[in-house]
Amino acid sequence: DGGITQSPKYLFRKEGQNVTLSCEQNLNHDAMYWYRQDPGQGLRLIYYSQIVNDFQKGDIAEGYSVSREKKESFPLTVTSAQKNPTAFYLCASNTGTGVYEQYFGPGTRLTVT
Amino acid sequence: SQQGEEDPQALSIQEGENATMNCSYKTSINNLQWYRQNSGRGLVHLILIRSNEREKHSGRLRVTLDTSKKSSSLLITASRAADTASYFCATYSGYSTLTFGKGTMLLVSP
């Protein structure tokens, strides 16, 4: 089955801890994206990568970091510098840029207390 | 910054009725896309309409695009309870990535 997987589905962390969210795709897509979704806010872009070993900041990159060492993987680290990390995080991929539709993973709900 | 703004924020209808959602945007676009999100799930792509297209159909979905008014509409005909979801428009302006709106929550009651 081709698709995007995110793990875990639910994640709980204590304040001050870094946490890494996993995103894997087997669609052979070049581009991958991380979004944050808060109630009533829609999707906001955190980081995106159009090619391996390269990534760009989105609208709300502060407090987050990413890596793209493999084409199929784009992990997101939520650092302790992120002031309000509790949210629903969505990973997506496509063949490149916004010209094409994006395929989304099922999401990870992160709760930090 | 969010380019697309959906209207209404929420819509409640009965099964069998049509549902219309609107999206307005601010700058010129390359294409506009509509996505559906069931509660607690990822988004699913529904339809993409390019700036040189005026109307597109996919099953019970009809999308229109008016670039002079910078607006698009999504019509779902003969709605079913399974259509209950949030619907988002997303615009691509030729720079890097899609920009999503805040969405319309659709509730279809049996």
Side-chain angles (χ1 to χ4, degrees):
Chain A
D1 282 340
I4 302 180
T5 57
Q6 290 185 245
S7 60
K9 188 170 176 64
Y10 299 96
L11 192 53
F12 298 89
R13 279 294 183 271
K14 294 289 187 186
E15 209 172 295
Q17 293 179 335
N18 290 356
V19 60
T20 297
L21 281 58
S22 167
C23 177
E24 304 275 332
Q25 54 98 0
N26 61 6
L27 300 167
N28 199 33
H29 285 164
D30 288 315
M32 297 186 74
Y33 310 83
W34 274 106
Y35 295 93
R36 170 182 172 136
Q37 188 176 31
D38 296 285
Q41 292 289 322
L43 273 67
R44 291 184 289 171
L45 182 66
I46 305 172
Y47 269 99
Y48 66 101
S49 167
Q50 293 179 300
I51 198 168
V52 174
N53 292 323
D54 188 41
F55 47 83
Q56 286 79 40
K57 293 181 179 180
D59 298 322
I60 56 166
E62 187 175 346
Y64 300 97
S65 67
V66 293
S67 63
R68 186 85 186 278
E69 296 175 3
K70 298 187 294 181
K71 187 175 185 177
E72 58 271 21
S73 178
F74 191 40
L76 173 75
T77 296
V78 184
T79 75
S80 56
Q82 169 49 234
K83 293 190 181 354
N84 186 19
T86 294
F88 189 51
Y89 290 88
L90 287 159
C91 179
S93 71
N94 69 358
T95 55
T97 72
V99 177
Y100 307 101
E101 66 189 83
Q102 291 187 9
Y103 294 77
F104 282 80
T108 291
R109 188 166 298 280
L110 173 65
T111 302
V112 177
T113 57
Chain B
S1 60
Q2 284 172 317
Q3 156 94 299
E5 291 290 337
E6 292 90 343
D7 171 63
Q9 287 187 322
L11 181 60
S12 183
I13 60 174
Q14 300 289 318
E15 262 190 330
E17 294 179 341
N18 294 344
T20 300
M21 287 156 266
N22 302 297
C23 171
S24 59
Y25 56 91
K26 295 176 183 152
T27 63
S28 62
I29 60 171
N30 177 290
N31 69 59
L32 185 145
Q33 303 179 28
W34 285 92
Y35 289 80
R36 184 187 75 226
Q37 183 182 34
N38 290 88
S39 181
R41 303 287 186 91
L43 277 69
V44 174
H45 181 263
L46 295 175
I47 201 161
L48 181 154
I49 186 164
R50 294 182 174 78
S51 60
N52 61 353
E53 298 175 311
R54 291 296 166 258
E55 189 170 311
K56 242 180 153 174
H57 296 256
S58 177
R60 293 184 296 112
L61 305 181
R62 174 180 168 246
V63 168
T64 62
L65 179 64
D66 187 335
T67 53
S68 66
K69 295 181 180 177
K70 291 188 170 59
S71 69
S72 174
S73 68
L74 169 67
L75 168 66
I76 304 174
T77 59
S79 295
R80 306 165 181 167
D83 294 326
T84 293
S86 291
Y87 292 82
F88 295 87
C89 69
T91 54
Y92 177 60
S93 302
Y95 304 103
S96 69
T97 67
L98 290 178
T99 303
F100 285 83
K102 295 183 180 182
T104 292
M105 292 179 59
L106 173 65
L107 174 63
V108 182
S109 302

